Amino acid sequence: MGMDISGINPTIIGDEPIFPSDWDTLSEKAKDYYRELDEEYHDNNPGVYFRANIWSWRPIHLAIVQSNISMSLGIDDDTIEGMSHNSGSGLKTQKECNALAFALEILADGMEEDGLTEFGFAFGYWNYRDGSMIVSEKDTEVLNSKYPYGKMMTDMPVKLATGDKSKDVWPAHVTQVEHLREFILFLRHCGGFEVW
């Protein structure tokens, strides 16, 4: 599950490739050709579409919330709330998107100056990076008391004492600063957006 963010009035360079109706009968070479055309189109038109899985979108969304507050962007509560799920909510003008992009860029610049490559938010869910285990209920309670709901986390992994050892754990909702930068690029070219 993820969030599909579509530009309302994106800057467009070139024509979007039209995939043939007989796609299933094409050779792999022909399919690869069309995939390359599609990738090139989206690379040249970053305001058309942005995608994030739910685990990555939550930190980006909370960065939007924090930027809205800290930079007094004036995004109303209903729009902010709507961006947290697939409801079609979003900013309607390029001017609004430019202001948000500027605010998020300040955040991303600060993270990179501090040598950070990822950030997350504490939402009460924790896991081990290798994906083999989810932190136990008891450990989750300990972590949730130390890292309250909605807290931005940049110092990861968190050390979790388990008996005589400690293990590295991460909040379940983490994204790369690079992914935030991709969203910023999208914002600068989308002409407004809707989250679906």
Side-chain angles (χ1 to χ4, degrees):
M1 186 169 132
M3 309 306 258
D4 296 304
I5 298 98
S6 300
I8 294 173
N9 189 21
T11 304
I12 300 292
I13 298 170
D15 295 325
E16 184 172 8
I18 299 171
F19 285 82
S21 58
D22 61 344
W23 180 260
D24 293 335
T25 64
L26 295 178
S27 69
E28 279 307 309
K29 186 175 181 178
K31 288 179 181 180
D32 288 344
Y33 173 74
Y34 280 104
R35 287 184 192 112
E36 287 174 22
L37 288 176
D38 187 61
E39 184 177 338
E40 182 180 346
Y41 173 80
H42 283 92
D43 286 348
N44 290 334
N45 297 286
V48 170
Y49 177 77
F50 177 80
R51 176 162 174 65
N53 66 36
I54 193 66
W55 306 104
S56 183
W57 179 249
R58 291 293 298 266
I60 292 172
H61 178 248
L62 264 289
I64 293 169
V65 172
Q66 288 191 351
S67 294
N68 186 46
I69 294 167
S70 66
M71 299 290 285
S72 301
L73 298 177
I75 304 170
D76 65 85
D77 292 343
D78 288 341
T79 301
I80 289 283
E81 168 59 26
M83 283 190 271
S84 70
H85 42 51
N86 307 62
S87 67
S89 188
L91 302 181
K92 302 306 178 204
T93 69
Q94 186 60 54
K95 182 178 178 181
E96 293 172 303
C97 292
N98 287 341
L100 178 57
F102 177 76
L104 292 174
E105 196 162 49
I106 290 171
L107 179 65
D109 288 346
M111 288 180 188
E112 288 178 347
E113 285 172 14
D114 290 341
L116 301 172
T117 59
E118 63 183 1
F119 67 101
F121 282 85
F123 287 118
Y125 302 100
W126 303 86
N127 59 29
Y128 302 108
R129 183 49 55 105
D130 65 9
S132 63
M133 297 174 61
I134 294 177
V135 178
S136 73
E137 189 175 324
K138 179 183 170 195
D139 291 340
T140 297
E141 288 176 18
V142 170
L143 290 164
N144 288 347
S145 67
K146 188 172 182 182
Y147 302 98
Y149 187 87
K151 175 181 174 44
M152 179 184 261
M153 300 187 62
T154 55
D155 190 16
M156 297 176 288
V158 173
K159 295 288 184 190
L160 174 66
T162 57
D164 59 348
K165 300 187 248 181
S166 71
K167 292 188 174 186
D168 292 343
V169 296
W170 281 259
H173 299 86
V174 175
T175 197
Q176 303 296 312
V177 176
E178 181 180 333
H179 200 205
L180 178 62
R181 291 255 185 227
E182 290 169 10
F183 182 62
I184 293 167
L185 180 62
F186 166 83
L187 287 172
R188 295 200 184 282
H189 298 278
C190 66
F193 67 88
E194 296 174 333
V195 180
W196 294 103

